[in-house]
Amino acid sequence: MTTFFSEKLRVVSFLSILVVFYIHAGSSDVYLSGLSVPFAVRACISGMFGPCAVPMFFTISGYLFFRNANVLGNVFRKMVKRVRTLLVPFVIAAVLYPLQPVLKELLTGVPSSVDYVGLFREQNFVKTLMCLFVDSGRAMPWAYHLWFLRDLLIIVALSPCVWYVRKKAGLWSIAVALALYFLFPRYSFLFGLYFFVAGSLLLHRLSELSRRWVYVLVAAFLSFAVFRQIYGSVLWPYLRVAEVSLGVSALWCVYDLVVSRRFRLASCPVLRLCCPFTFFLYLYHEPLLQTVLKGISGVLGGGWPAHALSYLLTPFVVAALLVGVGWLFRKYAPAVYGIMVGGR
């Protein structure tokens, strides 16, 4: 792996987490209960690029997981490593999520929108564990943003089978993963599995596409996305894979068009500071993002300009706050930080 490619993985991951912030900001009840953010503002960020953000994470994860996994023993070693790098951070973030509003309520007296204490008392232990780590009734854990990590852990648990299919079927294993998704759409991890497998086989090849083919990918993706935003489609569950596949491929390739091969993170202080904290931002941005969003909306007041501005600013404010917190943790409590992010 070249230095340029390695740093590309880091930069694209950081930019993708910012898009995730926009998705969560755009779907907040701040806007559902009041004046909506203008359609064009959300459609251009959350609507068009949002569906590609998490699949990009699956794609990159697949590439990194199966890189140098030439024998099954390497797969099992990577599975063991993921206990520290994925499972432990997932458990910590999932437990901390409901504790934050509980502590806020105890310290400030402001009631939480969800009575977690009441839920703990009413539910049995097994149900509580299900809500924390698997499904709280919305096909997501209480920490809803952790659904990606939950699905990724399932995929990692199945990785020996995935490795075997990849070895025997080669590129056709992508079609196998896609067929499984269409046959069993209720299992959300199969959507991620498709991008996980595709990323492991194709991500490094996408950088070899000519400029002409990159333009074709971008045009096809934008055509799909704009059509869906304007007209919608009852076929979206079926077209979703095509649109997102084009989007992930196009966005990955565009980086090579706009960034010089001579670019290094060391030459960009902002990215050099922020990129190492991408996983920390993902794990702990909720419910902070909702708090910041409500705070900015309250300060700016009503009206669509204020709503649009709060939507545009919140991801950057949250990213700046969490990078600062992560930097302090890493500097003054490196052992604690290392456990929270799995040594990343």
Side-chain angles (χ1 to χ4, degrees):
M1 186 190 302
T2 65
T3 300
F4 176 82
F5 192 89
S6 175
E7 293 188 346
K8 178 181 178 180
L9 291 171
R10 300 173 68 188
V11 173
V12 171
S13 295
F14 175 70
L15 296 178
S16 296
I17 200 62
L18 288 180
V19 176
V20 170
F21 287 6
Y22 275 112
I23 298 171
H24 295 169
S27 60
S28 171
D29 58 4
V30 171
Y31 302 124
L32 297 179
S33 61
L35 183 65
S36 295
V37 174
F39 172 79
V41 177
R42 281 195 293 179
C44 288
I45 303 176
S46 302
M48 292 182 62
F49 301 109
C52 302
V54 175
M56 182 69 80
F57 289 135
F58 280 118
T59 303
I60 292 173
S61 298
Y63 170 79
L64 293 174
F65 186 89
F66 284 112
R67 182 172 176 266
N68 298 327
N70 301 319
V71 296
L72 192 57
N74 289 343
V75 174
F76 285 115
R77 279 189 285 273
K78 291 199 173 192
M79 290 176 68
V80 172
K81 183 180 179 181
R82 264 46 177 194
V83 172
R84 178 175 65 91
T85 61
L86 294 180
L87 180 59
V88 172
F90 170 70
V91 171
I92 294 173
V95 171
L96 287 179
Y97 180 84
L99 288 182
Q100 293 178 65
V102 170
L103 291 174
K104 179 183 175 182
E105 182 174 346
L106 292 175
L107 294 174
T108 65
V110 179
S112 171
S113 58
V114 179
D115 183 11
Y116 290 107
V117 175
L119 291 173
F120 287 139
R121 291 171 177 170
E122 294 172 5
Q123 298 176 162
N124 59 45
F125 182 67
V126 174
K127 177 63 175 177
T128 299
L129 290 179
M130 287 291 292
C131 290
L132 276 171
F133 304 119
V134 183
D135 184 1
S136 61
R138 301 180 300 162
M140 295 176 285
W142 273 332
Y144 66 94
H145 61 292
L146 295 181
W147 72 265
F148 156 72
L149 203 49
R150 176 203 63 191
D151 287 2
L152 182 59
L153 285 166
I154 295 173
I155 294 170
V156 169
L158 297 173
S159 58
C161 299
V162 178
W163 177 87
Y164 181 80
V165 174
R166 285 176 75 257
K167 182 177 177 61
K168 295 298 182 181
L171 290 175
W172 284 104
S173 58
I174 300 173
V176 173
L178 185 60
L180 288 173
Y181 167 67
F182 282 122
L183 288 172
F184 307 102
R186 60 175 294 188
Y187 298 108
S188 64
F189 75 91
L190 292 176
F191 181 71
L193 177 64
Y194 161 71
F195 286 97
F196 190 84
V197 174
S200 71
L201 292 166
L202 298 178
L203 191 64
H204 65 291
R205 301 185 185 186
L206 288 175
S207 297
E208 300 171 1
L209 290 178
S210 66
R211 184 179 294 264
R212 177 180 299 178
W213 277 109
V214 174
Y215 290 150
V216 170
L217 282 175
V218 172
F221 164 61
L222 292 178
S223 299
F224 258 95
V226 170
F227 181 85
R228 176 175 55 82
Q229 287 293 312
I230 296 175
Y231 298 105
S233 175
V234 294
L235 297 177
W236 166 238
Y238 303 97
L239 298 177
R240 176 189 184 199
V241 172
E243 179 185 330
V244 176
S245 297
L246 288 169
V248 169
S249 302
L251 295 174
W252 177 261
C253 293
V254 163
Y255 184 95
D256 293 325
L257 296 186
V258 300
V259 178
S260 168
R261 293 275 174 174
R262 295 187 297 274
F263 171 79
R264 294 294 179 266
L265 276 178
S267 64
C268 181
V270 174
L271 289 176
R272 183 182 62 196
L273 173 64
C274 295
C275 286
F277 297 100
T278 297
F279 194 47
F280 184 78
L281 266 64
Y282 160 69
L283 289 171
Y284 302 108
H285 72 272
E286 291 287 7
L288 176 63
L289 186 141
Q290 302 301 324
T291 301
V292 171
L293 184 64
K294 293 174 182 177
I296 294 178
S297 298
V299 170
L300 296 178
W304 73 261
H307 282 74
L309 191 58
S310 64
Y311 168 77
L312 293 171
L313 290 178
T314 293
F316 291 96
V317 173
V318 172
L321 289 173
L322 285 177
V323 167
V325 171
W327 184 87
L328 290 173
F329 261 111
R330 193 175 66 176
K331 182 175 178 63
Y332 297 106
V336 175
Y337 180 80
I339 295 172
M340 293 175 70
V341 297
R344 294 170 183 252

